[in-house]
Amino acid sequence: MPATIDGPDFIALQVRDVEAAAAFCETHLGLRRAPASPPGAVVFTTEPIPFAVREPLPGVDLDDAARPGLGVALWFRTTDAQALHDQLVAAGVPILSPPQDSPFGRTFTFIGPEGYALTAHGG
């Protein structure tokens, strides 16, 4: 039988400033750091898939991209998308698309660390 993959098992955003990106995730998204992270990264205790911010891998030039992650849709589950939206707006976080109902609950897209477009859904 040929080898297959089961699906995503770990997601990381490559960023220029790991501590600033981690602070954004903690302050604005309520994420909590895992007890241990590898050098050059901060891993969070997200479920079901671990999420991290990390230094760029060799050969990655983030200054050469119009917007990091362009073409990738990264969605985060939340208990209340509207409340999260309102908190982010109050904190001055740019919103790309306003809250709307979808088959996945209420959704909206905002600008996360270093310009990544992130979508929140739920509630």
Side-chain angles (χ1 to χ4, degrees), residues 28 82-95:
H28 298 299
Q82 186 66 53
L84 178 61
H85 168 270
D86 297 347
Q87 289 170 2
L88 293 175
V89 167
V93 174
I95 305 298

Side-chain angles (χ1 to χ4, degrees), residues 57-119:
L57 294 167
V60 173
D61 182 2
L62 295 175
D63 294 327
D64 199 28
R67 185 171 78 208
L70 190 61
V72 174
L74 185 55
W75 288 45
F76 288 86
R77 184 179 58 243
T78 180
T79 56
D80 190 334
Q82 186 66 53
L84 178 61
H85 168 270
D86 297 347
Q87 289 170 2
L88 293 175
V89 167
V93 174
I95 305 298
L96 285 178
S97 64
Q100 58 189 351
D101 292 323
S102 79
F104 308 103
R106 198 101 170 119
T107 67
F108 73 96
T109 302
F110 61 97
I111 297 294
E114 300 195 10
Y116 282 94
L118 307 175
T119 298

